[in-house]
Amino acid sequence: MGEAVPVLVLVALAGIAVFGSLVLCTVTVARMRELPVWRRFLPLALFLLALAASLLRSVGVREVADAVAFPLNLAAVLLSVREIRARRLRNAAGAS
């Protein structure tokens, strides 16, 4: 049982890191004023829906949480990273 504690700590730290990076990416996109409003807040909305789906586990609705939370989080990350990269490319092209 002594070995399980460090593994659980590492898993918890990895989960916190993923959650933090997801929050950072979605907030970064939400602050991009050059994007239309729906594109700015779509990753944030997907993240909040995934968070709500994950919270369903606390009331015993695991099936919905398992089916919906991960794909919504993945979509939020992919959209956020896409928008951030597109902004960097636009800024690099504008600077040249």
Side-chain angles (χ1 to χ4, degrees):
M1 188 158 186
E3 290 180 26
V5 173
V7 172
L8 292 176
V9 170
L10 290 176
V11 169
L13 289 175
I16 291 169
V18 168
F19 180 77
S21 62
L22 183 58
V23 169
L24 182 66
C25 286
T26 56
V27 170
T28 300
V29 172
R31 298 173 92 192
M32 293 181 181
R33 301 283 181 199
E34 67 271 9
L35 294 176
V37 175
W38 70 271
R39 278 180 52 195
R40 284 177 34 201
F41 291 106
L42 181 61
L44 185 60
L46 292 173
F47 169 66
L48 292 175
L49 284 172
L51 189 60
S54 292
L55 288 175
L56 288 175
R57 286 187 181 107
S58 65
V59 293
V61 186
R62 277 190 74 80
E63 297 81 19
V64 175
D66 292 340
V68 174
F70 178 72
L72 286 174
N73 279 326
L74 185 62
V77 167
L78 292 176
L79 284 172
S80 296
V81 170
R82 180 179 161 262
E83 293 294 348
I84 292 169
R85 286 186 180 170
R87 182 184 196 187
R88 286 184 183 157
L89 288 175
R90 284 192 305 268
N91 289 343
S96 303

